[in-house]
Amino acid sequence: MLSETDKKHLRVAYDEAKAGYDEGGCPIGSVLARGDTVVSQGRNQRVQQGDPIAHGEMDALRKAGRQKTYKDTTLYTSLSPCMMCTGTIIQFGIPRVVIGENKTFGGNEDFLRSKGVEVIVADDPDCIALMTRFIEEKPELWNEDIAED
């Protein structure tokens, strides 16, 4: 079950995803939060910056700067995280991830859980609709993002 705080932060992640879509990029947004407080937020910047590892989660974490600990944080992401972002979540010891949707891309929820991360999938209709629209409109860009031919 999503708390009101979860819903609020997930909406910010969606808004970041929508901003990325509007810029011509991949619509994936992310927020790093400590309770009610947003530490940072970001979006997939692969197209905008020409950076192959500038995924939404990576952008939010980069913008957070150095943190003494992540053990009291939650990472919100509009789309299930890829293996690169999953590895970063585990590396930094982020204990909780709230995912907007995993219908369009089944990430690594089971792997995160196997490493002790609490994973919540919201099945957010706005996140699903935005990613579905993007995949239909720009399948070549989506395949590039997930490294498929």
Side-chain angles (χ1 to χ4, degrees):
M1 218 45 189
L2 293 180
S3 70
E4 288 306 311
T5 297
D6 290 335
K7 291 175 186 175
K8 178 179 74 169
H9 292 327
L10 188 57
R11 189 65 197 181
V12 174
Y14 169 80
D15 291 343
E16 284 284 344
K18 180 68 169 69
Y21 174 85
D22 292 343
E23 295 167 351
C26 300
I28 304 164
S30 188
V31 170
L32 181 69
R34 279 194 174 86
D36 289 338
T37 304
V38 170
V39 175
S40 63
Q41 60 193 68
R43 60 182 167 268
N44 187 300
Q45 297 278 333
R46 293 180 68 258
V47 172
Q48 299 91 318
Q49 295 181 6
D51 181 347
I53 62 170
H55 287 198
E57 300 91 338
M58 303 302 262
D59 189 48
L61 291 166
R62 184 177 289 125
K63 288 176 178 173
R66 292 174 57 196
Q67 300 289 310
K68 290 187 180 199
T69 185
Y70 295 87
K71 300 211 181 301
D72 58 347
T73 64
T74 298
L75 186 71
Y76 296 84
T77 181
S78 61
L79 183 66
S80 186
C82 71
M83 187 52 83
M84 176 180 67
C85 296
T86 294
T88 303
I89 291 163
I90 293 165
Q91 177 70 31
F92 288 174
I94 297 171
R96 186 168 182 265
V97 177
V98 176
I99 298 168
E101 68 103 351
N102 66 354
K103 303 287 186 227
T104 60
F105 178 76
N108 298 281
E109 298 94 358
D110 289 341
F111 186 70
L112 284 166
R113 288 183 183 110
S114 78
K115 298 297 183 183
V117 177
E118 178 187 358
V119 177
I120 298 169
V121 180
D123 289 325
D124 182 86
D126 291 336
C127 291
I128 294 167
L130 180 60
M131 185 54 68
T132 299
R133 179 177 171 193
F134 169 73
I135 292 168
E136 289 172 357
E137 290 176 354
K138 298 184 177 181
E140 69 291 339
L141 187 54
W142 172 237
N143 286 335
E144 178 188 325
D145 193 66
I146 60 173
E148 290 192 4
D149 295 329

